């Protein structure tokens, strides 16, 4: 009241109004009881309301102490006005302050002692008393019991915020590029930005659900980099929520195009992470929506070679496309049986394999039938699948990783030696080097184990004794002597391998649900 910091006003039993600052120190104290006689020898019942009742820019403390209504300056405690009514007992509640037809009204219920004996009894009457200030109502910080008519103790804010996408260049000459958003809310303030994006003419996808970067007065702002693809156009729109849960309408759409020759600083064509329930995280890549189930059924992830989209595999064998991925047929679907464990695409993006828990391979697209793969009928041992860069639909070549660290080649892939953790379910991910021999097995603690001639790799994340690492990928960056890539932890964190470039994710799951990581190298 006067210094923008919160204060507390209390009507004490002795008849005094006490106002304390935010640190608990008494700011001022005034007697509100009859004839300003304090302390009272009997309890004084009532409660204060706080509002700018005379529209002078200063909050006042309004109190009903028995049959006296008093208004005090909130900053100084000076009494601004007072009024009384016939001998009565005001209830232990706060007056209600509101604006009616442009004028402030103060309303209080009370019981009138019609017998004038100073004692409540039969024949007393209940009344409603109303005062007018002759001015509009200013800001009302606490205008009634529990602050509003809904008794929530918060602002009764029924006004939606207003959100906009800031103007951006019609053509981008580099990717990523910044996209900024602004929202205003004069009551409870902007709390979150909800940002959608679409490839021009495509479906809207939720890109961001974020708190503001900064708040100044009623205005909040947010800026993020968008990893658009060269030659593509994008539309953006935004909504905002405030502290009362109100949500704005969609903003006008702002569009931009990424020039076909735009500089692309990303170290890969596209990378995505997947949760057990199908939610996707776009990692330095265009935003994408996954199936987003309510239970743990996501069992595989594949990305198109150009990074523009891909597929989510469910445990029954269904493929769900995202981004610009076309419909793709696959072999075998077992509704109700959560049996699949992974998928891999060939470099053509239209063929590959689904892996079941027993090591079986099921064709995607026009992939050839594999006849030389190991299977363990009835044993839930399969952990991951990867295809060599040389693999094609007609001439498949790849490996299956089992949960004990064993490597099982199929097609024309050469035999390699994996790890020997027989009986210990600790192998979590498999990645092949897109530029050199061999690859790496990821254990549950984040350890990377080279095979097939790959150079030793180092990761900036290792959790000894905590089974939280989930997947690993490698990128093609021209450094064949030292493969680089990324690992994924169960919360959605992305960790660099052997000094790979820093990347950013538009989604951090925040609980142990992340499961797959896939890259178009």
């Amino acid at each position: 009241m006067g210094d923008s910091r919160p204060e507390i006003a209390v009507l004490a039993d002795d008849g005094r109004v006490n106002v304390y600052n935010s640190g608990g120190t008494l700011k001022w104290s005034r007697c509100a009881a009859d004839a300003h006689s304090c302390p009272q020898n009997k309890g004084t019942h009532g409660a204060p309301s706080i509002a700018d009742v005379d529209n002078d820019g200063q909050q006042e403390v309004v109190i009903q102490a028995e049959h006296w209504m008093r208004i005090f300056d909130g900053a100084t405690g000076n009494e601004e006005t007072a009024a009384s009514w016939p001998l009565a007992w005001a209830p232990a509640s706060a007056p209600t302050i509101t604006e009616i037809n442009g004028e402030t009204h103060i309303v209080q219920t009370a019981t009138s002692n019609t017998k004038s004996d100073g004692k409540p009894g039969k024949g007393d009457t209940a009344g409603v008393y109303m005062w007018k200030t002759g001015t509009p109502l200013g800001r009302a910080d606490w205008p009634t019991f529990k602050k509003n008519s809904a008794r929530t103790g918060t602002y009764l804010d029924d006004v939606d915020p207003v959100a906009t996408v800031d103007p951006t260049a019609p053509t981008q000459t580099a990717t990523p590029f910044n996209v900024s958003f602004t929202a205003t809310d004069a009551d409870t303030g902007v709390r979150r930005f909800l940002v959608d994006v679409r490839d021009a003419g495509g479906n809207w996808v939720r890109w961001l659900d974020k708190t503001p970067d900064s708040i100044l007065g009623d205005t909040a702002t947010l800026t993020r980099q968008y990893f658009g693809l060269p030659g593509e156009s994008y539309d953006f729109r935004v909504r905002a929520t405030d502290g009362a849960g109100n949500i704005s309408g969609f903003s006008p759409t702002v569009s931009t195009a990424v020039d076909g020759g735009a500089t692309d600083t990303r170290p890969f064509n596209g990378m995505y992470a997947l949760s057990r329930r199908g939610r996707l995280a776009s990692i330095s890549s265009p935003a994408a929506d996954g199936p987003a189930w309510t239970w743990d059924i996501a069992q595989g992830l594949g990305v198109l070679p150009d990074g523009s989209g891909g597929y989510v595999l469910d445990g029954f064998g269904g493929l769900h496309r995202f981004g610009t991925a076309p419909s793709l047929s696959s072999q075998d679907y077992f509704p109700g049986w959560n049996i699949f464990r992974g998928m891999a695409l060939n470099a053509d993006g239209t063929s590959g394999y689904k892996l079941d828990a027993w090591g079986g391979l099921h064709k995607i697209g026009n992939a050839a039938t594999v006849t030389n793969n190991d299977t363990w009928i009835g044993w839930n041992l399969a952990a991951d699948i990867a295809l060599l860069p040389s693999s094609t639909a007609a001439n498949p070549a790849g490996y299956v990783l089992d949960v004990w660290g064993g490597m099982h080649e199929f097609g024309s892939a050469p035999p390699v030696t994996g790890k020997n953790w027989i009986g210990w379910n600790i192998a979590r991910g498999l990645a092949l080097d897109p530029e050199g021999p061999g690859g790496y097995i990821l254990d549950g603690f984040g350890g990377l184990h080279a095979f097939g001639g790959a150079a030793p790799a180092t990761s900036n994340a290792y959790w000894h004794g905590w089974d939280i690492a989930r997947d690993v990928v490698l990128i093609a960056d021209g450094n064949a002597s030292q493969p680089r890539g990324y690992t994924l932890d169960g919360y959605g964190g992305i960790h660099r391998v052997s000094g790979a470039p820093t990347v950013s994710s538009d989604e951090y799951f925040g609980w142990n649900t992340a499961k797959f990581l896939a890259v178009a190298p």
Side-chain angles (χ1 to χ4, degrees):
M1 289 179 282
D3 59 6
S4 75
R5 291 177 297 180
E7 278 114 6
I8 299 172
V10 178
L11 175 63
D13 227 27
D14 65 359
R16 303 186 70 87
V17 178
N18 300 318
V19 173
Y20 300 88
N21 65 24
S22 58
T25 302
L26 182 65
K27 184 173 182 176
W28 56 259
S29 179
R30 300 290 185 271
C31 183
D34 188 15
H36 290 153
S37 176
C38 293
Q40 290 281 290
N41 58 8
K42 56 186 177 181
T44 301
H45 302 147
S49 292
I50 300 172
D52 180 6
V53 297
D54 54 7
N55 200 31
D56 64 353
Q58 170 63 52
Q59 297 287 289
E60 279 85 33
V61 176
V62 181
I63 192 75
Q64 303 283 2
E66 301 301 343
H67 59 283
W68 279 90
M69 185 276 291
R70 301 187 191 276
I71 299 176
F72 298 93
D73 183 284
T76 66
N78 294 333
E79 186 174 300
E80 295 185 357
T81 191
S84 66
W85 63 93
L87 185 62
W89 298 275
S93 63
T96 294
I97 301 171
T98 188
E99 183 177 298
I100 302 174
N101 295 328
E103 189 174 4
T104 302
H105 287 65
I106 301 171
V107 183
Q108 176 72 61
T109 60
T111 300
S112 297
N113 180 221
T114 57
K115 294 182 288 186
S116 301
D117 58 3
K119 299 177 181 180
K122 186 176 179 180
D124 292 342
T125 58
V128 176
Y129 297 84
M130 179 180 291
W131 292 267
K132 298 191 294 183
T133 67
T135 65
L137 177 63
R139 197 182 81 229
D141 284 352
W142 201 268
T144 185
F145 176 63
K146 289 193 174 180
K147 203 168 189 176
N148 62 65
S149 59
R151 307 293 191 254
T152 64
T154 60
Y155 285 101
L156 187 60
D157 176 5
D158 58 0
V159 179
D160 296 341
V162 176
T164 59
V165 183
D166 295 350
T168 188
T171 302
Q172 307 292 335
T173 59
T175 187
F177 53 90
N178 285 339
V179 187
S180 298
F181 312 92
T182 300
T184 58
D185 187 87
D187 293 322
T188 51
V190 177
R191 293 294 186 266
R192 300 192 74 83
F193 286 90
L194 310 175
V195 182
D196 295 340
V197 63
R198 67 181 178 186
D199 290 338
N203 296 322
W204 288 105
V205 171
R206 175 57 47 84
W207 172 32
L208 300 173
D209 182 348
K210 301 291 185 183
T211 57
D213 290 337
S214 65
I215 299 176
L216 183 61
D218 299 338
T219 302
T221 58
L222 177 75
T223 298
R224 287 293 185 273
Q225 289 186 320
Y226 191 75
F227 292 86
L229 299 179
E232 296 293 328
S233 298
Y234 299 95
D235 300 327
F236 298 91
R237 68 183 185 185
V238 62
R239 306 176 83 178
T241 62
D242 64 17
N246 300 310
I247 185 168
S248 71
F250 287 112
S251 70
T253 298
V254 170
S255 302
T256 189
V258 184
D259 187 83
T263 303
D264 188 348
T265 60
R266 299 177 306 154
F268 42 71
N269 287 335
M271 185 160 70
Y272 295 87
L274 178 69
S275 79
R276 296 194 307 263
R277 297 188 176 184
R279 285 176 58 193
L280 282 169
S282 305
I283 303 161
S284 295
S285 300
D289 272 346
W293 296 289
T294 58
W295 57 306
D296 297 345
I297 193 60
Q299 293 289 13
L301 176 65
V303 177
L304 295 176
D306 65 1
S308 63
Y311 304 90
V312 172
L313 172 69
D314 68 44
F316 305 154
L319 286 179
H320 308 265
R321 57 195 177 102
F322 63 88
T324 63
S327 296
L328 192 57
S329 63
S330 66
Q331 181 189 55
D332 298 330
Y333 180 71
F334 310 107
W337 189 16
N338 188 355
I339 189 61
F340 285 92
R341 295 295 179 267
M343 67 171 291
L345 293 175
N346 285 311
D348 59 17
T350 61
S351 64
Y353 297 93
K354 302 182 298 188
L355 171 70
D356 70 39
W358 301 345
L361 299 178
H362 307 258
K363 298 187 294 180
I364 296 174
N366 64 340
T369 300
V370 173
T371 59
N372 64 336
N373 60 302
D374 295 334
T375 57
W376 318 278
I377 303 301
W379 285 56
N380 190 354
L381 291 179
D384 205 355
I385 179 175
L387 293 169
L388 286 164
S390 60
S391 178
T392 66
N395 184 23
Y399 300 93
V400 169
L401 171 71
D402 69 43
V403 297
W404 297 340
M407 292 286 290
H408 308 267
E409 72 277 4
F410 61 85
S412 60
V416 294
T417 301
K419 297 297 294 181
N420 185 13
W421 298 309
I422 301 298
W424 186 16
N425 182 344
I426 195 62
R428 295 291 172 262
L430 170 64
L432 302 178
D433 188 351
E435 299 180 308
Y440 302 91
I441 297 169
L442 174 74
D443 68 44
F445 304 156
L448 290 169
H449 308 271
F451 64 84
T458 58
S459 172
N460 65 347
Y462 184 74
W463 306 271
H464 181 70
W466 187 17
D467 186 358
I468 195 62
R470 293 294 175 259
D471 210 349
V472 58
V473 296
L474 297 177
I475 61 175
D477 62 356
N479 190 0
S481 63
Q482 181 58 76
R484 300 193 293 182
Y486 303 90
T487 61
L488 171 73
D489 69 45
Y491 289 82
I494 306 297
H495 309 276
R496 297 183 295 152
V497 173
S498 298
T502 300
V503 293
S504 64
S505 176
D506 63 12
E507 176 78 78
Y508 182 72
F509 301 118
W511 60 294
N512 190 357
T513 185
K515 190 168 185 179
F516 295 99
L517 187 64
V519 68

